[in-house]
Amino acid sequence: MRRLLPLAIFLVLAAGCSTNKPGQKVVAPLPVTVIGTVPTEAQATVPPQYKNGDATAGKAVFESAGCKGCHTLKDAGATGTVGPNLDQAKPALSLVVERVTKGAGAMPPFKGQLTDKQIADVAAYVVKATGGNPNG
């Protein structure tokens, strides 16, 4: 036991030692030169066949394709709660096109059920009715 006492004292003292002064932050040196570029956010694009839809015709598509059953959209008198509240979401055109064509979550894809023109029209309608970004 006597032989272990000096070792125990040494370990207690060593555990409290630090190379930093109390209250100082430990920081890593910053690089002087940055090589490369900072990644930028990918710009959303809308395929050409889904641009320039007719919002007036899109309202009829919204009502006939079953969108009202899942989404809330004041302009269409829709109060569905399964999908997002479109009035609150204010989705961009690129997002509406992606969701209508590919689906997501509980929403099925409508590509193949709706024509490209109908998809363009309903996307234009949702964006116009919600005040979403028509260019995004």
Side-chain angles (χ1 to χ4, degrees), residues 44-69:
T45 59
V46 178
Q49 69 268 30
Y50 302 121
K51 292 182 179 180
N52 305 315
D54 178 0
T56 304
K59 184 172 185 176
V61 175
F62 188 90
E63 293 174 350
S64 67
C67 307
K68 289 177 75 167

Side-chain angles (χ1 to χ4, degrees), residues 76-125:
T79 57
T81 58
V82 175
N85 178 326
L86 298 173
D87 292 315
Q88 291 175 352
K90 299 182 185 335
L93 182 63
S94 60
L95 180 60
V96 178
V97 167
E98 182 176 325
R99 291 297 190 264
V100 173
T101 57
K102 298 178 183 176
M107 183 168 169
F110 283 86
K111 184 153 179 76
Q113 295 179 34
L114 298 175
T115 66
D116 287 349
K117 173 144 178 44
Q118 288 174 312
I119 293 171
D121 292 346
V122 75
Y125 169 66

